[in-house]
Amino acid sequence: MFGEHRYSVRTEWTGDRGTGTSGYRDYDRAVTIEIDGKPALLASSDKPFRGDPSRWNPEDLLLAALSECHLLSYLHACVTAGVVVVGYTDQASGVMREDGRGGGAFQEVVLRPQVVVADESMVDAATAAHAQAHAWCFIANSVNFPVRHEPTIAVA
């Protein structure tokens, strides 16, 4: 089944300290991200860019999107392969490099899923399901840097 899916989000800058963007240090990087029917997400830039480290930043959100997309795709791949997953955690990390001209880009993301399956006989298929999950992950297919996987599989 093919389809086109559309998404929308409202992003509002809430960091005007009374003088707008009159200077680089004169405004807060506070942002509120909203989608109808969902809790508001408080965001900012990362701390090195004068942001609030207690809020989500775009780099956090990209890493979270890659991790969650792989998780959801992986669970689907396991169902189709007859693998019963009873636990899944990921310790994802990414490297972003500044280019010295005010920009930069992610160089790579590494997902480290720790999967627990119901039976020893499922370990090989559970390991193989990561490749299928990667192929199905909409977010991983949308980025221009490597998304690597270093999974571990345990038996309940």
Side-chain angles (χ1 to χ4, degrees):
M1 178 169 31
F2 296 103
E4 183 175 277
H5 305 271
R6 297 182 183 271
Y7 302 90
S8 62
V9 62
R10 279 184 313 282
T11 304
E12 180 183 2
W13 171 56
T14 57
D16 183 1
R17 294 179 179 155
T19 60
T21 58
S22 58
Y24 185 72
R25 298 177 188 279
D26 297 336
Y27 63 96
D28 194 344
R29 275 59 174 177
V31 173
T32 301
I33 302 169
E34 296 177 299
I35 295 175
D36 289 339
K38 297 180 183 183
L41 182 65
L42 301 180
S44 182
S45 60
D46 197 8
K47 185 177 180 178
F49 308 108
R50 305 196 55 79
D52 181 344
S54 71
R55 291 178 172 229
W56 288 83
N57 64 58
E59 296 81 11
D60 294 335
L61 293 167
L62 178 60
L63 188 58
L66 285 162
S67 179
E68 181 185 0
C69 187
H70 185 80
L71 181 157
L72 296 170
S73 299
Y74 180 77
L75 296 178
H76 178 75
C78 284
V79 167
T80 62
V83 174
V84 178
V85 175
V86 297
Y88 184 113
T89 60
D90 184 14
Q91 293 293 319
S93 62
V95 175
M96 185 192 74
R97 185 169 297 132
E98 292 181 66
D99 63 13
R101 298 182 308 259
F106 269 82
Q107 302 301 300
E108 100 174 326
V109 163
V110 180
L111 306 179
R112 294 178 184 85
Q114 299 172 11
V115 179
V116 181
V117 296
D119 188 83
E120 179 72 35
S121 65
M122 300 173 178
V123 170
D124 289 342
T127 301
H130 284 286
Q132 182 62 64
H134 182 69
W136 285 344
C137 177
F138 302 133
I139 307 302
N141 286 313
S142 300
V143 299
N144 65 351
F145 54 83
V147 179
R148 293 190 304 109
H149 309 93
E150 297 176 357
T152 59
I153 311 293
V155 179

